[in-house]
Amino acid sequence: MPNNNKQIQNPKTQVPKTPQMNDRDFVNDLLATEKYMTDSYCTFLNEASHQSLYQDMLSIFNETQNAQRELYNCMFRNGWYKLEAADQQKLQQSYTQFQGYTSQFPNGGQYQ
């Protein structure tokens, strides 16, 4: 079965292929760290009981999430991060499948 997905990627910015870390390696490492930190902050925010501490950590979480997004954008701009365009038929199938689950939610998935 042929792969009809199209890759979405900018032209790659070339980096030296040496044992030393290059720009791509540094940005990729920072991106992985920011992803880990946002995951950890999410856990903290879900369990925080002190409102003031929650607000402080929420602010830090937002800064970290924004930094993660900027690093992702940098990777994508430089062609170091690629995506695959979603197949419209598969999207519609998934939408239909999950739309059926709303009847299992309280109030049929409708919020008042």
Side-chain angles (χ1 to χ4, degrees):
M1 186 160 141
N3 184 355
N4 293 331
N5 288 339
K6 295 181 182 178
Q7 290 194 356
I8 301 170
Q9 180 179 17
N10 289 315
K12 281 188 180 179
T13 300
Q14 295 302 314
V15 291
K17 295 186 180 193
T18 64
Q20 289 80 25
M21 288 182 70
N22 56 47
D23 288 345
R24 180 189 180 281
D25 296 331
F26 283 114
V27 175
N28 193 50
D29 186 57
L30 287 168
L31 179 59
T33 300
E34 294 294 335
K35 286 180 177 181
Y36 172 77
M37 289 173 62
T38 56
D39 285 345
S40 298
Y41 288 141
C42 279
T43 301
F44 176 89
L45 292 169
N46 288 333
E47 298 175 1
S49 61
H50 189 274
Q51 186 62 30
S52 180
L53 183 56
Y54 171 84
Q55 290 299 323
D56 289 343
M57 291 305 289
L58 181 59
S59 177
I60 294 168
F61 167 81
N62 286 329
E63 290 175 18
T64 304
Q65 183 64 37
N66 290 336
Q68 179 271 321
R69 185 67 183 171
E70 287 301 315
L71 289 165
Y72 162 80
N73 287 335
C74 177
M75 293 283 291
F76 188 74
R77 266 192 318 271
N78 285 290
W80 301 330
Y81 206 109
K82 61 184 171 186
L83 308 169
E84 289 189 16
D87 177 89
Q88 287 299 322
Q89 184 177 357
K90 288 182 181 177
L91 281 175
Q92 186 59 46
Q93 287 172 344
S94 292
Y95 175 80
T96 302
Q97 174 188 352
F98 289 106
Q99 186 66 27
Y101 294 161
T102 59
S103 64
Q104 299 173 21
F105 297 149
N107 299 325
Q110 301 297 313
Y111 295 99
Q112 297 176 4

